[in-house]
Amino acid sequence: MIDEELARRVIAEALSRGGDLADLFVERRSSYNLRLEEEKVEDNSSGSEVGAGVRVIRGESVAYAYTNDISEASLLETARVAAAASRGGKTVSIYLERPLESLPALAEHVVELDPDTYPREEKIELLRRADRAAREAGPHIVQVVAALGDSRQEVLVASSLGEMVRDTRVRVRMVVQVVAASDGEIQTGHETPGMLAGYELFRLFPPEQAGRAAAEQALTMLEARPAPSGPMAVVIANGTGGVLFHEACGHSLEADAVFKKASVFMDKIGERVASPLVNAYDDATLTNRWGSFCYDDEGVRAARTPLIEGGVLLGFINDRKRSWRDGTVATGNGRRQSYRFVPVPRMTNTYIDAGDAKKEDIIADTPLGLYALKLGGGEVNPVTGDFIFSVTEGYMIRDGKVAEPVKGATLIGNGPRALQDIDAVADDLDFDTGMCGKDGQAVPVCTGQPTLRVREMVVGGTTEVM
Amino acid sequence: MEKAAGLQALALQWMEKGRSLAGAGVELEIFLQEHRGLSVKAFGGEVESLRYSHSRGVGVRALREGRIGYSYCTGLAWQDVERAVEEAAANSRFSTPDEHNILPGPGVYPSEDLGIYDAEVEEEDSGRKVEMALELESLTLARDRRISQVETAVYADSVSQVAVASTAGVEGYYRHSDCYCYVFPIAREGEEHQTGFSFGLGVKPSDLDLAAVAEDAVERAVCLLGSESMASRRTTLILDSFVAAEFLGVLAAALSAEAVLKGRSFLAGKTGEAIADPLVTLVDDGLLKGGPSTAPFDDEGVPSQRKELIKAGVLQGYLHNTYTASRAGTVSTGNASRGSFRDRPRVGASNMYLLPGTGSRSDILRQVGDGVLVLQVVGAHAGANPISGEISLGALGLLVEGGEPVRPLREITLAGKALDFLRDAVALGGDLRFLPFEGSLGAPTVAIEGVMVAGRGQARS
């Protein structure tokens, strides 16, 4: 897209009025989206996008400018806008006197069935397979929406640190949403298989499986009774349950929140912040996982970062600015939605690691509680750690057995307190895909966890415990 | 920035070129968008970030024998657009035919000034805009000694231009400016911290009252200090206007005819029914003067209009674009909506708001007597389901006894059905305010009877 010499000139222009660090991010993205609804192919859309952003960092201040025009003249002009915005007139601490060094492109996440050459007819058939499997689940299934998206994102990052990297990310994801209705009651279910890979995704996750699982979830919830309210033990199933850790703790482990004193984990490195059963990681190197990459959006090599081990807080995830300002190691978590955004510290694939217990034993050991099989999204206040999550598929646990399904349940609590209250962790680690939002930017992430139990959490429902 | 006439001419020119490229039997729509913006974030008395944006893009919709294909590209050169036209036409071959896929014909757009553009946004010096972000932060910090810091203070503005042209005869152009500011203060006392939030919104920088925004945000944070949970109970909720507007997001989604036609709305089949208390009138007005989502036409070129969706509690109808209107045997309400040039038009609210009643929030509290004043909800995206109408959210607020707030509340949840909330509305204040984040939703203070609130305390019936 851009050669080393032009990148060097753009960065030099960006630093022409001073600054500590400057970088250039160039992106070319093509994407294809399909949507099957009411058994009709409705959305059949492809697009291509090109853009570049220039950033100048001076102390804690960042100036950023972007454009869709990546011609030489436009890139230099964009650099001048960023330079002018970063006024203040301090001397340049790092300047580019030698040529940029290109690091080798890496091929750690192999793509077998390339989205660009995979036939459109086949893509449509994948959606039809998910749709049929969902509709075959029973007469109460009234609506199925199956959507498929693939994208190829080629990025180039060059910085005044003297390096230039390229990374190509091919991603495919399917979203199946099923609506079931009976006697005026409406319930929904959904599944979202996705990978940093090509269409071989569906060998591992056949569309029928996604369709059936989403349908069964909706049908189960049709039979559900209103959830009870009040404090009780909560067993959170593996896979989607990881979203709780992501939201309630993960965001508070991002170094920008810590810097702004907007994190419950501020000043707690080396302290016990969780039950000794808890080991947690952020790992962008997991092969072909939805949240993985080779280099982050600032050109830092992807890494596996320990967050908590044995219940002790080990570190935070950061971006270039925070690692440089805080004097810590860059963890490779500087991510952005696209060239239109300034990179900020973001999670990649974040998970609580497997323990030794068996799921069956954990449930058998719970006299009364809630079994949260699927969690929807949630929200957290990073300053206080208070969170709320909706349970999209939940059951009561009575006398050590999974009992009746319940609907309308939410989990309400506090991240650090819930971490301390984890009293059992199973050996069945699994992952789920999501799009994480922060500062108005969405990036692909995986959340993961094994089955685990929190001694007590407040369940918000519409009835009293019986 | 391209000249007005230039952008419109470009859309027409490409529509004509595209028409000959795609050949006979293919109808085309060109949607062109140009956007320039500035956003300033202040933190710790410094500029945390200053972002200039400039983007240009084209969305192409191709229609062939009832089959729709879509494509988009960035840049404004014909060779980019040419490829997008070819892609859209190719994509259309793979779509399922549907007789209701039609491009709207020409419409008559309002000639009066809609109050959606002011040159001040472009003329005001960017240095002054930077100062506004810094000033918002310092005003917020200075307001109350319990404000330990400001997590984010932002000033942002943008000017965008939209041009649409189609082979069906649509031809339109408008220019739009907006500017807003918002602040998240953190209040601390001992070990406890609470966050607040407020914002200002306008079409030009001088519309923003920074001091009022700072005061409101600080009040919302400090009033929650000392909060505790409460025992579960059924009680009257008094929704702050921000919270009530967030709840309208559920209604906006459920009132989309697309959701209704496709079995994804709890409001399907209820036209003509009394679904809400007679106090409730819900309006969607695409022509609201100076409104955040006001424009002469919608995102496929159909003239904007005002309509009452719920009138004195009775559901009047749904939001339509050209496709859903044809399927339902009615006419478009001018509610075609797309996120950007990257998306094909779907259905969305314009300026949707609850017609206000009378009285301040204090008046409503006195009228209600005992209840819970809800100031913040958490989990609105996950906990409010527009398909089933089920709502289950975490909340922070104030316990109200004898018409007065008596203590702050945290770690409570609200649960119920949106239809019950509408039916059990008992009072609406006169303090209508628009929330800029979910499209443009506006509500006053709203009181609702008999809602289950769960907390950590001992349950009682």
Side-chain angles (χ1 to χ4, degrees):
Chain A
M1 291 188 269
I2 306 283
D3 66 17
E4 287 83 354
E5 176 49 25
L6 175 56
R8 195 196 63 79
R9 281 167 49 215
V10 170
I11 291 165
E13 187 66 50
L15 288 172
S16 60
R17 297 205 189 183
D20 301 312
L21 191 138
D23 58 13
L24 164 70
F25 178 85
V26 187
E27 175 183 11
R28 188 183 296 275
R29 187 196 299 249
S30 58
S31 59
Y32 182 62
N33 285 291
L34 261 180
R35 185 181 159 95
L36 186 75
E37 185 163 6
E38 301 178 310
E39 300 171 79
K40 289 187 278 202
V41 178
E42 288 216 331
D43 205 349
N44 194 344
S45 166
S46 53
S48 62
E49 187 152 3
V50 179
V54 178
R55 174 173 66 157
V56 181
I57 303 179
R58 183 208 309 278
E60 286 294 339
S61 293
V62 173
Y64 192 72
Y66 73 79
T67 176
N68 293 132
D69 181 353
I70 61 165
S71 67
E72 178 174 330
S74 166
L75 289 177
L76 290 168
E77 174 57 24
T78 303
R80 273 191 285 276
V81 170
S86 169
R87 60 201 160 224
K90 274 193 208 162
T91 50
V92 179
S93 56
I94 299 169
Y95 196 74
L96 228 62
E97 287 169 348
R98 57 191 165 84
L100 284 174
E101 183 194 349
S102 273
L103 299 187
L106 300 168
E108 291 168 339
H109 307 285
V110 175
V111 175
E112 281 185 51
L113 300 173
D114 192 320
D116 286 351
T117 52
Y118 198 74
R120 274 181 245 217
E121 292 88 338
E122 292 293 317
K123 293 179 183 178
I124 292 168
E125 184 53 26
L126 289 167
L127 291 180
R128 294 211 180 277
R129 282 164 59 192
D131 179 85
R132 278 195 296 269
R135 287 179 194 278
E136 279 162 11
H140 295 314
I141 302 296
V142 295
Q143 188 54 266
V144 180
V145 180
L148 186 61
D150 64 54
S151 66
R152 170 189 302 276
Q153 182 199 25
E154 292 167 46
V155 306
L156 176 155
V157 191
S159 87
S160 58
L161 299 173
E163 288 174 356
M164 180 156 124
V165 306
R166 290 180 166 84
D167 197 17
T168 298
R169 300 133 184 192
V170 172
R171 289 191 171 92
V172 178
R173 188 172 188 232
M174 181 185 271
V175 177
V176 185
Q177 188 186 48
V178 176
V179 182
S182 170
D183 298 331
E185 178 76 27
I186 299 175
Q187 288 293 338
T188 59
H190 83 284
E191 284 289 319
T192 56
M195 280 171 76
L196 179 78
Y199 276 82
E200 64 274 20
L201 164 70
F202 298 104
R203 285 187 202 142
L204 286 165
F205 300 98
E208 288 82 3
Q209 190 182 306
R212 209 174 299 124
E216 276 163 14
Q217 190 193 335
L219 291 172
T220 303
M221 296 316 285
L222 273 187
E223 305 297 317
R225 292 193 213 159
S229 287
M232 67 186 79
V234 178
V235 176
I236 305 169
N238 63 344
T240 58
V243 72
L244 184 62
F245 180 76
H246 170 102
E247 297 286 356
C249 302
H251 283 293
S252 295
L253 293 167
E254 292 167 340
D256 53 342
V258 179
F259 168 71
K260 289 189 166 187
K261 299 185 168 56
S263 163
V264 280
F265 294 114
M266 182 176 68
D267 303 328
K268 295 235 165 89
I269 288 192
E271 283 183 33
R272 259 282 305 276
V273 296
S275 148
L277 296 171
V278 175
N279 298 299
Y281 303 90
D282 180 84
D283 192 349
T285 69
L286 295 173
T287 307
N288 293 116
R289 286 276 175 210
W290 177 242
S292 298
F293 43 78
C294 295
Y295 291 100
D296 76 0
D297 296 323
E298 299 180 292
V300 179
R301 188 79 173 90
R304 174 180 190 265
T305 307
L307 302 170
I308 297 171
E309 281 182 353
V312 174
L313 181 65
L314 296 184
F316 302 118
I317 57 171
N318 60 31
D319 57 3
R320 278 242 207 248
K321 178 178 152 195
R322 285 266 58 86
S323 75
W324 171 61
R325 297 286 299 170
D326 301 345
T328 51
V329 173
T331 59
N333 290 83
R335 305 185 69 189
R336 45 180 134 202
Q337 180 179 314
S338 75
Y339 64 90
R340 293 181 289 137
F341 298 90
V342 176
V344 287
R346 302 296 294 263
M347 286 174 269
T348 63
N349 306 299
T350 312
Y351 61 98
I352 293 179
D353 210 353
D356 301 326
K358 295 286 169 203
K359 172 184 138 189
E360 298 71 31
D361 298 341
I362 294 175
I363 290 171
D365 187 40
T366 307
L368 178 70
L370 180 78
Y371 181 40
L373 190 68
K374 282 214 109 177
L375 294 187
E379 274 180 30
V380 65
N381 181 330
V383 180
T384 60
D386 289 343
F387 65 76
I388 170 119
F389 273 84
S390 64
V391 179
T392 49
E393 183 174 0
Y395 301 82
M396 290 307 291
I397 301 175
R398 296 182 192 278
D399 302 323
K401 293 192 180 64
V402 176
E404 79 277 8
V406 290
K407 64 185 173 186
T410 53
L411 301 178
I412 174 161
N414 177 273
R417 193 158 63 211
L419 276 182
Q420 296 282 7
D421 285 349
I422 291 175
D423 64 359
V425 179
D427 56 2
D428 54 353
L429 172 65
D430 195 10
F431 291 88
D432 198 12
T433 66
M435 294 301 293
C436 168
K438 174 177 171 182
D439 288 1
Q441 306 190 43
V443 297
V445 295
C446 268
T447 55
Q449 73 160 55
T451 300
L452 56 78
R453 182 175 60 196
V454 180
R455 194 179 296 127
E456 187 184 284
M457 244 194 264
V458 173
V459 175
T462 48
T463 63
E464 289 164 37
V465 185
M466 278 170 281
Chain B
M1 178 147 297
E2 300 280 342
K3 290 277 173 291
L7 214 64
Q8 191 168 13
L10 216 50
L12 277 171
Q13 186 191 329
W14 289 340
M15 186 270 290
E16 289 300 342
K17 278 183 154 179
R19 190 209 298 261
S20 38
L21 181 72
V26 179
E27 288 183 74
L28 276 186
E29 171 193 77
I30 302 281
F31 178 87
L32 213 145
Q33 204 175 31
E34 166 148 0
H35 173 99
R36 273 180 197 274
L38 169 68
S39 120
V40 190
K41 239 187 216 185
F43 181 75
E46 283 192 65
V47 177
E48 181 189 352
S49 73
L50 181 62
R51 186 171 74 130
Y52 283 99
S53 53
H54 180 207
S55 65
R56 304 184 298 193
V58 181
V60 180
R61 193 154 58 140
L63 175 63
R64 177 207 312 265
E65 293 156 0
R67 300 167 190 261
I68 291 271
Y70 195 78
S71 187
Y72 67 86
C73 63
T74 50
L76 291 184
W78 168 245
Q79 56 265 39
D80 301 321
V81 181
E82 183 176 31
R83 205 184 115 101
V85 169
E86 284 168 351
E87 280 277 307
N91 287 338
S92 71
R93 294 180 188 277
F94 294 90
S95 299
T96 309
D98 183 335
E99 58 179 318
H100 302 296
N101 279 328
I102 33 184
L103 295 184
V108 179
Y109 304 139
S111 51
E112 74 269 24
D113 178 16
L114 296 172
I116 57 173
Y117 173 80
D118 194 299
E120 188 188 309
V121 171
E122 292 175 272
E123 287 159 6
E124 180 67 87
D125 174 46
S126 61
R128 172 61 197 140
K129 295 174 181 178
V130 168
E131 276 165 31
M132 285 174 79
L134 294 167
E135 203 175 309
L136 179 59
E137 188 192 34
S138 61
L139 283 169
T140 304
L141 275 171
R143 185 87 213 162
D144 191 298
R145 58 166 182 82
R146 290 166 292 180
I147 298 299
S148 60
Q149 70 184 95
V150 171
E151 195 195 326
T152 313
V154 167
Y155 167 89
D157 63 35
S158 72
V159 175
S160 47
Q161 300 186 89
V162 169
V164 193
S166 80
T167 53
V170 162
E171 199 183 317
Y173 167 87
Y174 66 88
R175 187 164 52 166
H176 184 273
S177 66
D178 61 36
C179 71
Y180 59 90
C181 64
Y182 63 86
V183 63
F184 284 98
I186 300 175
R188 263 176 221 267
E189 205 160 47
E191 282 295 288
E192 189 193 358
H193 22 236
Q194 293 292 345
T195 55
F197 167 70
S198 191
F199 65 88
L201 186 63
V203 294
K204 57 182 187 296
S206 57
D207 288 342
L208 305 179
D209 182 345
L210 301 177
V213 172
E215 181 181 353
D216 188 36
V218 168
E219 177 54 27
R220 284 168 184 273
V222 298
C223 78
L224 293 172
L225 286 170
S227 61
E228 291 173 343
S229 191
M230 63 181 262
S232 302
R233 74 183 66 160
R234 238 171 237 295
T235 187
T236 301
L237 289 188
I238 305 101
L239 305 179
D240 167 73
S241 59
F242 284 13
V243 174
E246 273 191 72
F247 277 45
L248 281 189
V250 177
L251 280 186
L255 284 165
S256 149
E258 189 178 327
V260 171
L261 288 166
K262 293 174 177 174
R264 282 189 276 115
S265 169
F266 66 92
L267 293 175
K270 296 200 185 300
T271 311
E273 282 183 32
I275 59 161
D277 186 276
L279 282 171
V280 177
T281 291
L282 182 71
V283 175
D284 181 78
D285 187 358
L287 296 171
L288 183 72
K289 187 148 180 150
S293 289
T294 300
F297 51 84
D298 72 4
D299 285 346
E300 57 180 358
V302 172
S304 300
Q305 51 173 282
R306 178 185 193 275
K307 56 265 161 198
E308 285 173 340
L309 296 162
I310 300 174
K311 188 175 186 178
V314 178
L315 181 63
Q316 307 294 306
Y318 306 108
L319 302 170
H320 284 281
N321 62 15
T322 302
Y323 170 80
T324 63
S326 169
R327 248 181 91 166
T330 179
V331 290
S332 171
T333 54
N335 285 93
S337 166
R338 41 181 140 200
S340 74
F341 63 88
R342 297 172 189 86
D343 311 309
R344 75 186 169 106
R346 306 283 292 270
V347 179
S350 61
N351 304 293
M352 181 183 275
Y353 63 98
L354 278 174
L355 221 56
T358 50
S360 64
R361 186 156 89 191
S362 309
D363 295 335
I364 302 289
L365 294 188
R366 275 193 292 277
Q367 187 184 333
V368 165
D370 295 343
V372 170
L373 169 62
V374 183
L375 292 173
Q376 294 178 24
V377 289
V378 284
H381 293 284
N385 184 330
I387 300 176
S388 66
E390 276 169 17
I391 291 171
S392 183
L393 296 163
L396 293 118
L398 302 171
L399 185 67
V400 177
E401 286 175 2
E404 297 290 334
V406 291
R407 68 179 176 90
L409 299 169
R410 67 192 280 206
E411 289 194 51
I412 54 172
T413 64
L414 326 169
K417 285 182 168 289
L419 280 173
D420 294 343
F421 283 13
L422 283 170
R423 188 196 57 214
D424 299 333
V426 288
L428 273 76
D431 49 351
L432 174 67
R433 224 176 142 178
F434 279 89
L435 200 69
F437 300 121
E438 309 259 338
S440 159
L441 303 168
T445 301
V446 178
I448 300 166
E449 267 181 350
V451 180
M452 187 67 196
V453 177
R456 268 187 184 271
Q458 190 67 46
R460 68 169 208 214
S461 46

